[in-house]
PDB file of all heavy atoms in Angstrom:
ATOM      1  N   ALA Z   1     -22.097   3.909  -4.506  1.00 98.00           N
ATOM      2  CA  ALA Z   1     -23.372   3.407  -4.834  1.00 98.00           C
ATOM      3  C   ALA Z   1     -23.573   3.301  -6.348  1.00 98.00           C
ATOM      4  O   ALA Z   1     -24.057   2.242  -6.859  1.00 98.00           O
ATOM      5  CB  ALA Z   1     -24.499   4.279  -4.203  1.00 98.00           C
ATOM      6  N   LEU Z   2     -23.162   4.360  -7.083  1.00 98.00           N
ATOM      7  CA  LEU Z   2     -23.330   4.395  -8.496  1.00 98.00           C
ATOM      8  C   LEU Z   2     -22.377   3.413  -9.220  1.00 98.00           C
ATOM      9  O   LEU Z   2     -22.673   3.124 -10.419  1.00 98.00           O
ATOM     10  CB  LEU Z   2     -23.141   5.805  -9.044  1.00 98.00           C
ATOM     11  CG  LEU Z   2     -24.229   6.826  -8.625  1.00 98.00           C
ATOM     12  CD1 LEU Z   2     -23.874   8.238  -9.112  1.00 98.00           C
ATOM     13  CD2 LEU Z   2     -25.610   6.359  -9.092  1.00 98.00           C
ATOM     14  N   ALA Z   3     -21.431   2.940  -8.519  1.00 98.00           N
ATOM     15  CA  ALA Z   3     -20.507   1.941  -9.136  1.00 98.00           C
ATOM     16  C   ALA Z   3     -21.123   0.560  -9.169  1.00 98.00           C
ATOM     17  O   ALA Z   3     -20.609  -0.388  -9.858  1.00 98.00           O
ATOM     18  CB  ALA Z   3     -19.159   1.929  -8.371  1.00 98.00           C
ATOM     19  N   GLU Z   4     -22.251   0.359  -8.477  1.00 98.00           N
ATOM     20  CA  GLU Z   4     -22.896  -0.927  -8.328  1.00 98.00           C
ATOM     21  C   GLU Z   4     -23.949  -1.022  -9.479  1.00 98.00           C
ATOM     22  O   GLU Z   4     -24.330   0.030 -10.052  1.00 98.00           O
ATOM     23  CB  GLU Z   4     -23.650  -1.025  -7.027  1.00 98.00           C
ATOM     24  CG  GLU Z   4     -22.685  -1.012  -5.815  1.00 98.00           C
ATOM     25  CD  GLU Z   4     -23.450  -0.940  -4.537  1.00 98.00           C
ATOM     26  OE1 GLU Z   4     -24.743  -1.066  -4.497  1.00 98.00           O
ATOM     27  OE2 GLU Z   4     -22.796  -0.750  -3.476  1.00 98.00           O
ATOM     28  N   ASP Z   5     -24.414  -2.192  -9.796  1.00 98.00           N
ATOM     29  CA  ASP Z   5     -25.427  -2.401 -10.798  1.00 98.00           C
ATOM     30  C   ASP Z   5     -26.751  -1.702 -10.317  1.00 98.00           C
ATOM     31  O   ASP Z   5     -27.214  -1.967  -9.254  1.00 98.00           O
ATOM     32  CB  ASP Z   5     -25.715  -3.900 -10.964  1.00 98.00           C
ATOM     33  CG  ASP Z   5     -26.766  -4.188 -12.001  1.00 98.00           C
ATOM     34  OD1 ASP Z   5     -27.045  -3.310 -12.864  1.00 98.00           O
ATOM     35  OD2 ASP Z   5     -27.319  -5.311 -12.043  1.00 98.00           O
ATOM     36  N   GLY Z   6     -27.215  -0.813 -11.132  1.00 98.00           N
ATOM     37  CA  GLY Z   6     -28.377   0.010 -10.776  1.00 98.00           C
ATOM     38  C   GLY Z   6     -29.607  -0.381 -11.627  1.00 98.00           C
ATOM     39  O   GLY Z   6     -30.530   0.481 -11.673  1.00 98.00           O
ATOM     40  N   GLU Z   7     -29.606  -1.481 -12.277  1.00 98.00           N
ATOM     41  CA  GLU Z   7     -30.661  -1.874 -13.153  1.00 98.00           C
ATOM     42  C   GLU Z   7     -32.057  -1.647 -12.457  1.00 98.00           C
ATOM     43  O   GLU Z   7     -32.304  -2.298 -11.432  1.00 98.00           O
ATOM     44  CB  GLU Z   7     -30.544  -3.272 -13.623  1.00 98.00           C
ATOM     45  CG  GLU Z   7     -31.688  -3.799 -14.526  1.00 98.00           C
ATOM     46  CD  GLU Z   7     -31.720  -3.068 -15.897  1.00 98.00           C
ATOM     47  OE1 GLU Z   7     -30.656  -2.773 -16.430  1.00 98.00           O
ATOM     48  OE2 GLU Z   7     -32.812  -2.791 -16.344  1.00 98.00           O
ATOM     49  N   GLY Z   8     -32.903  -0.798 -13.029  1.00 97.00           N
ATOM     50  CA  GLY Z   8     -34.219  -0.575 -12.482  1.00 97.00           C
ATOM     51  C   GLY Z   8     -34.275   0.286 -11.250  1.00 97.00           C
ATOM     52  O   GLY Z   8     -35.324   0.324 -10.538  1.00 97.00           O
ATOM     53  N   LYS Z   9     -33.209   0.940 -10.860  1.00 98.00           N
ATOM     54  CA  LYS Z   9     -33.150   1.674  -9.605  1.00 98.00           C
ATOM     55  C   LYS Z   9     -32.915   3.181  -9.776  1.00 98.00           C
ATOM     56  O   LYS Z   9     -32.362   3.609 -10.844  1.00 98.00           O
ATOM     57  CB  LYS Z   9     -32.076   1.086  -8.715  1.00 98.00           C
ATOM     58  CG  LYS Z   9     -32.361  -0.281  -8.305  1.00 98.00           C
ATOM     59  CD  LYS Z   9     -31.265  -0.857  -7.462  1.00 98.00           C
ATOM     60  CE  LYS Z   9     -31.558  -2.362  -7.129  1.00 98.00           C
ATOM     61  NZ  LYS Z   9     -30.497  -2.995  -6.426  1.00 98.00           N
ATOM     62  N   VAL Z  10     -33.318   3.936  -8.805  1.00 98.00           N
ATOM     63  CA  VAL Z  10     -33.097   5.338  -8.732  1.00 98.00           C
ATOM     64  C   VAL Z  10     -32.435   5.684  -7.453  1.00 98.00           C
ATOM     65  O   VAL Z  10     -32.914   5.307  -6.395  1.00 98.00           O
ATOM     66  CB  VAL Z  10     -34.455   6.150  -8.887  1.00 98.00           C
ATOM     67  CG1 VAL Z  10     -34.180   7.699  -8.654  1.00 98.00           C
ATOM     68  CG2 VAL Z  10     -35.124   5.943 -10.224  1.00 98.00           C
ATOM     69  N   LEU Z  11     -31.316   6.388  -7.508  1.00 98.00           N
ATOM     70  CA  LEU Z  11     -30.593   6.830  -6.283  1.00 98.00           C
ATOM     71  C   LEU Z  11     -31.160   8.112  -5.796  1.00 98.00           C
ATOM     72  O   LEU Z  11     -31.157   9.070  -6.494  1.00 98.00           O
ATOM     73  CB  LEU Z  11     -29.068   6.944  -6.624  1.00 98.00           C
ATOM     74  CG  LEU Z  11     -28.151   7.255  -5.356  1.00 98.00           C
ATOM     75  CD1 LEU Z  11     -28.317   6.162  -4.337  1.00 98.00           C
ATOM     76  CD2 LEU Z  11     -26.756   7.505  -5.789  1.00 98.00           C
ATOM     77  N   VAL Z  12     -31.648   8.061  -4.572  1.00 99.00           N
ATOM     78  CA  VAL Z  12     -32.202   9.314  -3.909  1.00 99.00           C
ATOM     79  C   VAL Z  12     -31.215   9.750  -2.849  1.00 99.00           C
ATOM     80  O   VAL Z  12     -30.920   8.998  -1.884  1.00 99.00           O
ATOM     81  CB  VAL Z  12     -33.567   9.030  -3.309  1.00 99.00           C
ATOM     82  CG1 VAL Z  12     -34.048  10.246  -2.540  1.00 99.00           C
ATOM     83  CG2 VAL Z  12     -34.600   8.638  -4.370  1.00 99.00           C
ATOM     84  N   ILE Z  13     -30.609  10.903  -3.067  1.00 98.00           N
ATOM     85  CA  ILE Z  13     -29.533  11.416  -2.166  1.00 98.00           C
ATOM     86  C   ILE Z  13     -30.095  12.565  -1.300  1.00 98.00           C
ATOM     87  O   ILE Z  13     -30.428  13.593  -1.830  1.00 98.00           O
ATOM     88  CB  ILE Z  13     -28.359  11.909  -3.056  1.00 98.00           C
ATOM     89  CG1 ILE Z  13     -27.860  10.823  -3.953  1.00 98.00           C
ATOM     90  CG2 ILE Z  13     -27.233  12.420  -2.128  1.00 98.00           C
ATOM     91  CD1 ILE Z  13     -26.891  11.368  -5.054  1.00 98.00           C
ATOM     92  N   ASP Z  14     -30.070  12.356   0.014  1.00 98.00           N
ATOM     93  CA  ASP Z  14     -30.378  13.426   0.887  1.00 98.00           C
ATOM     94  C   ASP Z  14     -29.104  14.146   1.258  1.00 98.00           C
ATOM     95  O   ASP Z  14     -28.315  13.674   2.071  1.00 98.00           O
ATOM     96  CB  ASP Z  14     -31.072  12.890   2.184  1.00 98.00           C
ATOM     97  CG  ASP Z  14     -31.384  13.992   3.190  1.00 98.00           C
ATOM     98  OD1 ASP Z  14     -31.036  15.175   2.986  1.00 98.00           O
ATOM     99  OD2 ASP Z  14     -32.036  13.677   4.200  1.00 98.00           O
ATOM    100  N   GLY Z  15     -28.861  15.235   0.539  1.00 98.00           N
ATOM    101  CA  GLY Z  15     -27.635  16.046   0.773  1.00 98.00           C
ATOM    102  C   GLY Z  15     -27.840  17.152   1.723  1.00 98.00           C
ATOM    103  O   GLY Z  15     -27.102  18.175   1.765  1.00 98.00           O
ATOM    104  N   GLY Z  16     -28.932  17.034   2.492  1.00 98.00           N
ATOM    105  CA  GLY Z  16     -29.233  18.098   3.471  1.00 98.00           C
ATOM    106  C   GLY Z  16     -29.682  19.438   2.889  1.00 98.00           C
ATOM    107  O   GLY Z  16     -29.743  20.369   3.573  1.00 98.00           O
ATOM    108  N   GLY Z  17     -29.924  19.426   1.565  1.00 98.00           N
ATOM    109  CA  GLY Z  17     -30.324  20.610   0.910  1.00 98.00           C
ATOM    110  C   GLY Z  17     -29.178  21.636   0.760  1.00 98.00           C
ATOM    111  O   GLY Z  17     -29.391  22.802   0.400  1.00 98.00           O
ATOM    112  N   SER Z  18     -27.963  21.211   1.024  1.00 98.00           N
ATOM    113  CA  SER Z  18     -26.802  22.110   0.827  1.00 98.00           C
ATOM    114  C   SER Z  18     -26.642  22.666  -0.520  1.00 98.00           C
ATOM    115  O   SER Z  18     -26.709  21.944  -1.550  1.00 98.00           O
ATOM    116  CB  SER Z  18     -25.478  21.369   1.214  1.00 98.00           C
ATOM    117  OG  SER Z  18     -24.405  22.237   1.012  1.00 98.00           O
ATOM    118  N   LEU Z  19     -26.437  23.943  -0.565  1.00 98.00           N
ATOM    119  CA  LEU Z  19     -26.168  24.646  -1.825  1.00 98.00           C
ATOM    120  C   LEU Z  19     -24.682  25.146  -1.901  1.00 98.00           C
ATOM    121  O   LEU Z  19     -24.398  26.026  -2.638  1.00 98.00           O
ATOM    122  CB  LEU Z  19     -27.099  25.870  -1.971  1.00 98.00           C
ATOM    123  CG  LEU Z  19     -28.618  25.473  -1.957  1.00 98.00           C
ATOM    124  CD1 LEU Z  19     -29.476  26.695  -2.028  1.00 98.00           C
ATOM    125  CD2 LEU Z  19     -28.945  24.537  -3.065  1.00 98.00           C
ATOM    126  N   ARG Z  20     -23.839  24.459  -1.141  1.00 98.00           N
ATOM    127  CA  ARG Z  20     -22.397  24.961  -1.046  1.00 98.00           C
ATOM    128  C   ARG Z  20     -21.429  24.113  -1.859  1.00 98.00           C
ATOM    129  O   ARG Z  20     -20.286  24.576  -2.000  1.00 98.00           O
ATOM    130  CB  ARG Z  20     -21.980  24.939   0.437  1.00 98.00           C
ATOM    131  CG  ARG Z  20     -22.847  25.901   1.286  1.00 98.00           C
ATOM    132  CD  ARG Z  20     -22.334  26.074   2.658  1.00 98.00           C
ATOM    133  NE  ARG Z  20     -21.948  24.860   3.328  1.00 98.00           N
ATOM    134  CZ  ARG Z  20     -21.630  24.824   4.611  1.00 98.00           C
ATOM    135  NH1 ARG Z  20     -21.602  25.944   5.333  1.00 98.00           N
ATOM    136  NH2 ARG Z  20     -21.298  23.734   5.183  1.00 98.00           N
ATOM    137  N   CYS Z  21     -21.893  23.015  -2.410  1.00 98.00           N
ATOM    138  CA  CYS Z  21     -20.996  22.202  -3.368  1.00 98.00           C
ATOM    139  C   CYS Z  21     -21.895  21.188  -4.039  1.00 98.00           C
ATOM    140  O   CYS Z  21     -23.063  21.065  -3.690  1.00 98.00           O
ATOM    141  CB  CYS Z  21     -19.930  21.548  -2.598  1.00 98.00           C
ATOM    142  SG  CYS Z  21     -20.440  20.255  -1.452  1.00 98.00           S
ATOM    143  N   ALA Z  22     -21.303  20.589  -5.050  1.00 98.00           N
ATOM    144  CA  ALA Z  22     -22.011  19.556  -5.848  1.00 98.00           C
ATOM    145  C   ALA Z  22     -21.736  18.211  -5.382  1.00 98.00           C
ATOM    146  O   ALA Z  22     -20.629  17.822  -4.970  1.00 98.00           O
ATOM    147  CB  ALA Z  22     -21.642  19.715  -7.298  1.00 98.00           C
ATOM    148  N   LEU Z  23     -22.751  17.348  -5.392  1.00 98.00           N
ATOM    149  CA  LEU Z  23     -22.653  15.953  -5.012  1.00 98.00           C
ATOM    150  C   LEU Z  23     -22.540  15.004  -6.223  1.00 98.00           C
ATOM    151  O   LEU Z  23     -22.093  13.919  -6.121  1.00 98.00           O
ATOM    152  CB  LEU Z  23     -23.801  15.515  -4.144  1.00 98.00           C
ATOM    153  CG  LEU Z  23     -23.961  16.211  -2.781  1.00 98.00           C
ATOM    154  CD1 LEU Z  23     -25.204  15.803  -2.082  1.00 98.00           C
ATOM    155  CD2 LEU Z  23     -22.702  15.851  -1.898  1.00 98.00           C
ATOM    156  N   VAL Z  24     -22.961  15.452  -7.361  1.00 98.00           N
ATOM    157  CA  VAL Z  24     -22.916  14.675  -8.599  1.00 98.00           C
ATOM    158  C   VAL Z  24     -22.389  15.602  -9.733  1.00 98.00           C
ATOM    159  O   VAL Z  24     -22.836  16.705  -9.900  1.00 98.00           O
ATOM    160  CB  VAL Z  24     -24.348  14.154  -8.985  1.00 98.00           C
ATOM    161  CG1 VAL Z  24     -24.285  13.454 -10.344  1.00 98.00           C
ATOM    162  CG2 VAL Z  24     -24.843  13.182  -7.901  1.00 98.00           C
ATOM    163  N   GLY Z  25     -21.465  15.029 -10.510  1.00 98.00           N
ATOM    164  CA  GLY Z  25     -20.933  15.710 -11.710  1.00 98.00           C
ATOM    165  C   GLY Z  25     -21.064  14.787 -12.905  1.00 98.00           C
ATOM    166  O   GLY Z  25     -21.644  13.674 -12.790  1.00 98.00           O
ATOM    167  N   ASP Z  26     -20.495  15.173 -14.043  1.00 98.00           N
ATOM    168  CA  ASP Z  26     -20.597  14.423 -15.288  1.00 98.00           C
ATOM    169  C   ASP Z  26     -20.015  13.053 -15.145  1.00 98.00           C
ATOM    170  O   ASP Z  26     -20.551  12.068 -15.669  1.00 98.00           O
ATOM    171  CB  ASP Z  26     -20.071  15.200 -16.443  1.00 98.00           C
ATOM    172  CG  ASP Z  26     -18.609  15.555 -16.289  1.00 98.00           C
ATOM    173  OD1 ASP Z  26     -17.993  15.464 -15.213  1.00 98.00           O
ATOM    174  OD2 ASP Z  26     -17.936  15.857 -17.357  1.00 98.00           O
ATOM    175  N   GLN Z  27     -18.912  12.906 -14.454  1.00 98.00           N
ATOM    176  CA  GLN Z  27     -18.220  11.622 -14.330  1.00 98.00           C
ATOM    177  C   GLN Z  27     -19.122  10.620 -13.572  1.00 98.00           C
ATOM    178  O   GLN Z  27     -19.230   9.439 -13.954  1.00 98.00           O
ATOM    179  CB  GLN Z  27     -16.874  11.701 -13.650  1.00 98.00           C
ATOM    180  CG  GLN Z  27     -15.911  12.536 -14.468  1.00 98.00           C
ATOM    181  CD  GLN Z  27     -15.719  11.951 -15.886  1.00 98.00           C
ATOM    182  OE1 GLN Z  27     -15.423  10.805 -16.075  1.00 98.00           O
ATOM    183  NE2 GLN Z  27     -15.911  12.832 -16.918  1.00 98.00           N
ATOM    184  N   LEU Z  28     -19.826  11.090 -12.558  1.00 98.00           N
ATOM    185  CA  LEU Z  28     -20.738  10.125 -11.763  1.00 98.00           C
ATOM    186  C   LEU Z  28     -21.999   9.895 -12.610  1.00 98.00           C
ATOM    187  O   LEU Z  28     -22.470   8.762 -12.542  1.00 98.00           O
ATOM    188  CB  LEU Z  28     -21.107  10.730 -10.458  1.00 98.00           C
ATOM    189  CG  LEU Z  28     -19.946  10.772  -9.416  1.00 98.00           C
ATOM    190  CD1 LEU Z  28     -20.506  11.306  -8.127  1.00 98.00           C
ATOM    191  CD2 LEU Z  28     -19.330   9.416  -9.280  1.00 98.00           C
ATOM    192  N   ALA Z  29     -22.441  10.838 -13.393  1.00 98.00           N
ATOM    193  CA  ALA Z  29     -23.614  10.600 -14.288  1.00 98.00           C
ATOM    194  C   ALA Z  29     -23.219   9.593 -15.353  1.00 98.00           C
ATOM    195  O   ALA Z  29     -24.054   8.682 -15.669  1.00 98.00           O
ATOM    196  CB  ALA Z  29     -24.111  11.879 -14.866  1.00 98.00           C
ATOM    197  N   ILE Z  30     -22.098   9.685 -15.896  1.00 98.00           N
ATOM    198  CA  ILE Z  30     -21.588   8.712 -16.861  1.00 98.00           C
ATOM    199  C   ILE Z  30     -21.504   7.300 -16.234  1.00 98.00           C
ATOM    200  O   ILE Z  30     -21.997   6.246 -16.813  1.00 98.00           O
ATOM    201  CB  ILE Z  30     -20.257   9.061 -17.475  1.00 98.00           C
ATOM    202  CG1 ILE Z  30     -20.429  10.269 -18.457  1.00 98.00           C
ATOM    203  CG2 ILE Z  30     -19.583   7.938 -18.287  1.00 98.00           C
ATOM    204  CD1 ILE Z  30     -19.067  10.950 -18.800  1.00 98.00           C
ATOM    205  N   LEU Z  31     -20.921   7.216 -15.044  1.00 98.00           N
ATOM    206  CA  LEU Z  31     -20.886   5.970 -14.324  1.00 98.00           C
ATOM    207  C   LEU Z  31     -22.260   5.347 -14.099  1.00 98.00           C
ATOM    208  O   LEU Z  31     -22.474   4.185 -14.319  1.00 98.00           O
ATOM    209  CB  LEU Z  31     -20.115   6.171 -12.955  1.00 98.00           C
ATOM    210  CG  LEU Z  31     -19.973   4.955 -12.049  1.00 98.00           C
ATOM    211  CD1 LEU Z  31     -19.199   3.869 -12.726  1.00 98.00           C
ATOM    212  CD2 LEU Z  31     -19.399   5.348 -10.727  1.00 98.00           C
ATOM    213  N   ALA Z  32     -23.192   6.224 -13.655  1.00 98.00           N
ATOM    214  CA  ALA Z  32     -24.550   5.789 -13.364  1.00 98.00           C
ATOM    215  C   ALA Z  32     -25.201   5.223 -14.656  1.00 98.00           C
ATOM    216  O   ALA Z  32     -25.819   4.154 -14.626  1.00 98.00           O
ATOM    217  CB  ALA Z  32     -25.377   6.946 -12.820  1.00 98.00           C
ATOM    218  N   HIS Z  33     -24.956   5.935 -15.748  1.00 98.00           N
ATOM    219  CA  HIS Z  33     -25.576   5.421 -17.023  1.00 98.00           C
ATOM    220  C   HIS Z  33     -24.900   4.057 -17.422  1.00 98.00           C
ATOM    221  O   HIS Z  33     -25.641   3.163 -17.799  1.00 98.00           O
ATOM    222  CB  HIS Z  33     -25.342   6.462 -18.139  1.00 98.00           C
ATOM    223  CG  HIS Z  33     -25.706   6.009 -19.462  1.00 98.00           C
ATOM    224  ND1 HIS Z  33     -27.061   5.906 -19.830  1.00 98.00           N
ATOM    225  CD2 HIS Z  33     -25.005   5.720 -20.549  1.00 98.00           C
ATOM    226  CE1 HIS Z  33     -27.126   5.455 -21.045  1.00 98.00           C
ATOM    227  NE2 HIS Z  33     -25.882   5.349 -21.542  1.00 98.00           N
ATOM    228  N   GLN Z  34     -23.632   3.959 -17.254  1.00 98.00           N
ATOM    229  CA  GLN Z  34     -22.950   2.692 -17.588  1.00 98.00           C
ATOM    230  C   GLN Z  34     -23.436   1.545 -16.702  1.00 98.00           C
ATOM    231  O   GLN Z  34     -23.495   0.383 -17.163  1.00 98.00           O
ATOM    232  CB  GLN Z  34     -21.429   2.853 -17.456  1.00 98.00           C
ATOM    233  CG  GLN Z  34     -20.805   3.783 -18.496  1.00 98.00           C
ATOM    234  CD  GLN Z  34     -19.386   4.053 -18.174  1.00 98.00           C
ATOM    235  OE1 GLN Z  34     -18.905   3.973 -17.044  1.00 98.00           O
ATOM    236  NE2 GLN Z  34     -18.660   4.519 -19.212  1.00 98.00           N
ATOM    237  N   LYS Z  35     -23.776   1.833 -15.473  1.00 98.00           N
ATOM    238  CA  LYS Z  35     -24.230   0.813 -14.523  1.00 98.00           C
ATOM    239  C   LYS Z  35     -25.748   0.617 -14.568  1.00 98.00           C
ATOM    240  O   LYS Z  35     -26.265  -0.061 -13.695  1.00 98.00           O
ATOM    241  CB  LYS Z  35     -23.731   1.116 -13.063  1.00 98.00           C
ATOM    242  CG  LYS Z  35     -22.234   1.052 -12.957  1.00 98.00           C
ATOM    243  CD  LYS Z  35     -21.753  -0.381 -13.149  1.00 98.00           C
ATOM    244  CE  LYS Z  35     -20.273  -0.534 -12.856  1.00 98.00           C
ATOM    245  NZ  LYS Z  35     -19.898  -1.897 -12.771  1.00 98.00           N
ATOM    246  N   ARG Z  36     -26.422   1.296 -15.491  1.00 98.00           N
ATOM    247  CA  ARG Z  36     -27.845   1.112 -15.784  1.00 98.00           C
ATOM    248  C   ARG Z  36     -28.798   1.690 -14.761  1.00 98.00           C
ATOM    249  O   ARG Z  36     -29.913   1.186 -14.621  1.00 98.00           O
ATOM    250  CB  ARG Z  36     -28.159  -0.386 -16.054  1.00 98.00           C
ATOM    251  CG  ARG Z  36     -27.334  -0.939 -17.199  1.00 98.00           C
ATOM    252  CD  ARG Z  36     -27.733  -2.338 -17.489  1.00 98.00           C
ATOM    253  NE  ARG Z  36     -27.752  -3.156 -16.262  1.00 98.00           N
ATOM    254  CZ  ARG Z  36     -27.200  -4.291 -16.117  1.00 98.00           C
ATOM    255  NH1 ARG Z  36     -26.491  -4.854 -17.048  1.00 98.00           N
ATOM    256  NH2 ARG Z  36     -27.276  -5.002 -14.955  1.00 98.00           N
ATOM    257  N   TRP Z  37     -28.299   2.646 -13.950  1.00 98.00           N
ATOM    258  CA  TRP Z  37     -29.239   3.360 -13.042  1.00 98.00           C
ATOM    259  C   TRP Z  37     -30.272   4.094 -13.948  1.00 98.00           C
ATOM    260  O   TRP Z  37     -29.947   4.653 -14.964  1.00 98.00           O
ATOM    261  CB  TRP Z  37     -28.423   4.359 -12.182  1.00 98.00           C
ATOM    262  CG  TRP Z  37     -27.663   3.679 -11.162  1.00 98.00           C
ATOM    263  CD1 TRP Z  37     -26.439   3.183 -11.289  1.00 98.00           C
ATOM    264  CD2 TRP Z  37     -28.112   3.398  -9.782  1.00 98.00           C
ATOM    265  NE1 TRP Z  37     -26.006   2.606 -10.089  1.00 98.00           N
ATOM    266  CE2 TRP Z  37     -27.017   2.730  -9.134  1.00 98.00           C
ATOM    267  CE3 TRP Z  37     -29.277   3.636  -9.058  1.00 98.00           C
ATOM    268  CZ2 TRP Z  37     -27.097   2.334  -7.788  1.00 98.00           C
ATOM    269  CZ3 TRP Z  37     -29.323   3.245  -7.780  1.00 98.00           C
ATOM    270  CH2 TRP Z  37     -28.242   2.602  -7.138  1.00 98.00           C
ATOM    271  N   LYS Z  38     -31.481   4.220 -13.457  1.00 98.00           N
ATOM    272  CA  LYS Z  38     -32.564   4.916 -14.152  1.00 98.00           C
ATOM    273  C   LYS Z  38     -32.498   6.402 -13.947  1.00 98.00           C
ATOM    274  O   LYS Z  38     -32.855   7.214 -14.762  1.00 98.00           O
ATOM    275  CB  LYS Z  38     -33.940   4.386 -13.766  1.00 98.00           C
ATOM    276  CG  LYS Z  38     -34.219   2.919 -14.130  1.00 98.00           C
ATOM    277  CD  LYS Z  38     -34.159   2.826 -15.661  1.00 98.00           C
ATOM    278  CE  LYS Z  38     -34.461   1.386 -16.046  1.00 98.00           C
ATOM    279  NZ  LYS Z  38     -34.291   1.138 -17.464  1.00 98.00           N
ATOM    280  N   GLY Z  39     -31.998   6.759 -12.686  1.00 98.00           N
ATOM    281  CA  GLY Z  39     -31.963   8.160 -12.406  1.00 98.00           C
ATOM    282  C   GLY Z  39     -31.314   8.468 -11.047  1.00 98.00           C
ATOM    283  O   GLY Z  39     -31.051   7.565 -10.251  1.00 98.00           O
ATOM    284  N   ILE Z  40     -31.155   9.746 -10.829  1.00 98.00           N
ATOM    285  CA  ILE Z  40     -30.579  10.260  -9.543  1.00 98.00           C
ATOM    286  C   ILE Z  40     -31.392  11.465  -9.118  1.00 98.00           C
ATOM    287  O   ILE Z  40     -31.617  12.405  -9.927  1.00 98.00           O
ATOM    288  CB  ILE Z  40     -29.099  10.642  -9.728  1.00 98.00           C
ATOM    289  CG1 ILE Z  40     -28.275   9.582 -10.369  1.00 98.00           C
ATOM    290  CG2 ILE Z  40     -28.477  11.118  -8.425  1.00 98.00           C
ATOM    291  CD1 ILE Z  40     -26.885  10.010 -10.876  1.00 98.00           C
ATOM    292  N   VAL Z  41     -31.837  11.495  -7.864  1.00 98.00           N
ATOM    293  CA  VAL Z  41     -32.527  12.670  -7.307  1.00 98.00           C
ATOM    294  C   VAL Z  41     -31.583  13.200  -6.177  1.00 98.00           C
ATOM    295  O   VAL Z  41     -31.259  12.445  -5.244  1.00 98.00           O
ATOM    296  CB  VAL Z  41     -33.939  12.351  -6.771  1.00 98.00           C
ATOM    297  CG1 VAL Z  41     -34.529  13.522  -6.068  1.00 98.00           C
ATOM    298  CG2 VAL Z  41     -34.803  11.819  -7.883  1.00 98.00           C
ATOM    299  N   VAL Z  42     -31.228  14.427  -6.251  1.00 98.00           N
ATOM    300  CA  VAL Z  42     -30.278  15.049  -5.325  1.00 98.00           C
ATOM    301  C   VAL Z  42     -30.925  16.192  -4.538  1.00 98.00           C
ATOM    302  O   VAL Z  42     -31.219  17.240  -5.156  1.00 98.00           O
ATOM    303  CB  VAL Z  42     -28.975  15.581  -6.034  1.00 98.00           C
ATOM    304  CG1 VAL Z  42     -27.988  16.100  -4.934  1.00 98.00           C
ATOM    305  CG2 VAL Z  42     -28.373  14.526  -6.911  1.00 98.00           C
TER     306      VAL Z  42
END
């Protein structure tokens, strides 16, 4: 999803509330910024 053009969009991720691993790291945040996403809610 973050590899797509995100101009004007926010990715809302329902990760089931899991606290056992990460769904987003710095590389995905960089990708999101490059693809113009406004934000990510996890």
Side-chain angles (χ1 to χ4, degrees):
L2 293 175
E4 298 171 8
D5 181 19
E7 178 67 37
K9 297 179 182 172
V10 174
L11 185 62
V12 175
I13 304 166
D14 180 353
S18 174
L19 302 178
R20 300 189 312 187
C21 67
L23 294 173
V24 174
D26 60 343
Q27 295 304 308
L28 290 183
I30 290 167
L31 177 63
H33 175 69
Q34 291 170 341
K35 293 294 188 170
R36 302 183 312 230
W37 287 85
K38 296 295 181 186
I40 307 167
V41 176
V42 184

